[in-house]
Each structure stands twice: as C-alpha cells, then as structure tokens.
Amino acid sequence: MSQTNKFAAYPRLDPLGVGKDISAADLIDQTFLAYNGGRLREAARLLAEKMLPDDGFIGLSLTGALTPAGLGKSCLIPLIKAGFIDWIVATGANLYHDLHYGLDMALYQGSPFLDDVELRREGVIRIYDVLFDYNVLLDTDAFVREVIQETEFQRPMGTDEFHYLLGRYVCERGKKLNLKDSSVLATAYECGLPVFTSSPGDSSIGMNVAAMALRDARLMFDVNRDVNQTAAIVYEAKSTGHKSSVFILGGGSPKNFLLQTEPQIQEVMGIPEKGHDYFLQCTDARPDTGGLSGATPAEAVSWGKVDPETLPDCVVAYVDSTIALPLLTAYCLSRVKGRRLKRLYHRRDEILDQVKAKYLRTGTVTKVKTSRNVGRRAGGAGLRKKPFA
C-alpha cells in the first residue's frame, strides 16, 4: 500500500489558528479534531447531518441538574422552538427546578467550596455552585400543590399529560410576570412537545403529588401509559419512514426509558423492528463499572435498542453536559434551518391507538416469535400448571 493510499480515509490534522471572532460552530469544525474534542465534533455533525434532516424524530433524555444551572433557558428552549427536539424524558428534578425559572424565582452563581452548615443556618440551598433561598423550594411546592388541586388533575394520567397541564399553568403565570422563554415546561406546552419522567415519585414534584394524595387528591401517574406512549412515538417514526434518534445527556433512568422503546416494540409487543437509527450521548461515566450511564451504543445493539447497521454513526462524547450542550446547541442553530414542530402531544391518542392495533394483531401472551436468531435453551418457559409445586 502506498503512503498516500494508507491514509486515504483519514483527513489530515492541519488546524487553523483560533481567531478572536470565530463562531462556536466554526470552532468545533476547525479545532475539535481529536480525543473527546473530536468526538464532540462527530456528535455535532451527527445531529446536524443525519439526525435532524428529513424530519427525523429526536428524543432527548435529561439527567443531572441541568435546568438549575440555566441550561433550560439557554439551550433547551431554543432547541425546542427550532423544532430540533420532538419529545423528552427527564428526571423529575430537572422539571421541578425548571419551575423556579418559570415562576421568576432567583437562582445565583455561587461556589462549590462554601460552608454548607453555614448555608443551612442562613436558609440557602446549594446545588454544587448554584445557590438559592430555601423559600424558592417552599414557594415552588406551594405552586405545585395549588395547581394539582384543580379538577382536571383529579384522575390518573400519563406524565406527558401531567406535564402538559402543569406547563399550561406555568405559561399563564409567566405571562402575568411578563416572562418570555423562561420555562422548558411552558415552552413544551406551547409547542405541543411531550415531556415524560421515568421515575415520577423521585422528585419534589412527585413528593407534593404524594402529599396531596393524603388529602384525598385523586391524581395518580399512569406509568403503563408512559411506557406504551413512548413506544408509540418511536413506532410512529419508524412506521412512517422517518429516522428515530436518541440524544442522551448523562444517563440513568431517563436514558433507559428513552432506549427501551425499541425492546418494548420488538421483544414485548412482537412487532418487527431494527432499533433506533442514531444514538448520541454526552456522559462522563465509564462503561466498565456496570453503570447504565456508561452503557455504550454497541451494547444497546444486543438488546435491539440500536440498529446495528447505523452503529458506526453512533457517538459517545465523554464530555460534561454543561459544556457539550451549549456547544451543540450553537452548532445546530448555526448549521441547520429550523424545522416544523411535530406537536406530538396533540396526536398522543392517535399514535397510541396505532401501536395498540398493531400489537393486538401481532403480539401474544405466550413467548413472542421473533426474526432474531434465538438459540434454544434447556428447560421450558412459561407458567406451570401448579406454580411453586
């Protein structure tokens, strides 16, 4: 092989000097050339050139305290309004702290090196280097409790419906406070974007819902609806010839909830499918410790979560989300034209009915038949005539 042909597939490393007026997008393209800088450039191009084109569906998962750090206002709201995010799975904490901004409560840039005993005495809450008054929690809690007393909340509902209704109240309060683009939940309401949480009891929102249940409130989260509804969104994408992509910030439960939509379709419902088309994750978790946050797209292929044919395009950038998200947001807004909003929330019943009808035609209660190469195992499976006999 000649010296020239040996490197034919690899661009030469020859960066330009960084100038004082360079844009964020050009900085990524021209100087993020190797190591995790290179992976972040690959992530940006994957988003801009493969995930966003042709009206592809993009699900976003949020883990870690991103909204209290201001990333909801600075990045998520612009991405939603540009049509670059179509549905979200978030920790309840991210949605709870988003409410502070939607209710015009003050959060402050602090330090991670303060005396927490002193902060407690002063009534100050610390999230690493973000500070706010304890009253912010008390007032946000009171807002949630007051809202969920309303008649429309007195029934079981999926978390997407709950967040849509809550977002409407946040939106109305924001208008009275002359706020604009301050809350992810309010923006999601305005854009008809479904927002789910995979662990609805694991946040201050869930804590307040639980407390109101002691006052005989009838609101309950329908997690079965959430599992089927998220699978229905992915089935809607794939059955209509669109790409389904996952954009994962952090990891944890929201990551799996986003990805498990494909096994729900294939493994449980028995509907033939290949997996999500594109996988993009920004994480600082290692894959060798057994934690979900570090699980790679290659591992996800074995579960049917990711299409093996698109695995070479999948990207994991080992970069703090608070660094990666602003850069990726700037890149996409600079390089990609805004897309039409899908408003999937307004079609929630329709798309759920479609996957339900398909499942009832193809699915079974007994072991699902699959096109995958599944070896036989010794011993039977299924219910015994006399359990535990």
Side-chain angles (χ1 to χ4, degrees), residues 189-206:
Y189 161 74
E190 292 176 314
C191 295
L193 183 142
V195 179
F196 301 87
T197 186
S198 51
S199 301
D202 186 19
S203 74
S204 293
I205 293 177

Side-chain angles (χ1 to χ4, degrees), residues 27-105:
L27 186 73
I28 292 171
D29 274 336
Q30 296 173 16
T31 69
F32 286 31
L33 303 181
Y35 307 114
N36 279 312
R39 303 298 77 71
L40 191 64
R41 186 188 76 254
E42 291 171 358
R45 290 181 172 176
L46 176 62
L47 261 172
E49 298 172 10
K50 295 191 175 181
M51 293 168 66
L52 285 169
D54 302 318
D55 208 26
F57 284 46
I58 296 184
L60 174 75
S61 70
L62 298 174
T63 310
L66 302 184
T67 58
L71 292 168
K73 286 190 68 174
S74 65
C75 300
L76 298 179
I77 290 173
L79 288 172
I80 292 171
K81 295 185 71 173
F84 293 169
I85 299 172
D86 300 306
W87 60 289
I88 292 174
V89 180
T91 58
N94 268 306
L95 303 177
Y96 175 74
H97 293 302
D98 171 70
L99 295 176
H100 309 330
Y101 288 93
L103 302 175
D104 201 22
M105 298 177 182

Side-chain angles (χ1 to χ4, degrees), residues 143-191:
F143 175 82
V144 172
R145 291 194 298 269
E146 290 168 6
V147 166
I148 63 177
Q149 289 183 88
E150 297 296 327
T151 303
E152 61 198 312
F153 288 93
Q154 304 311 308
R155 55 187 173 82
M157 62 180 67
T159 60
D160 61 332
E161 183 176 11
F162 170 75
H163 293 135
Y164 180 80
L165 295 175
L166 180 60
R168 189 182 75 203
Y169 282 89
V170 180
C171 185
E172 291 172 354
R173 180 65 64 88
K175 289 177 181 177
K176 292 179 181 178
L177 297 171
N178 294 318
L179 302 178
K180 183 180 179 182
D181 297 340
S182 61
S183 161
V184 172
L185 279 178
T187 302
Y189 161 74
E190 292 176 314
C191 295

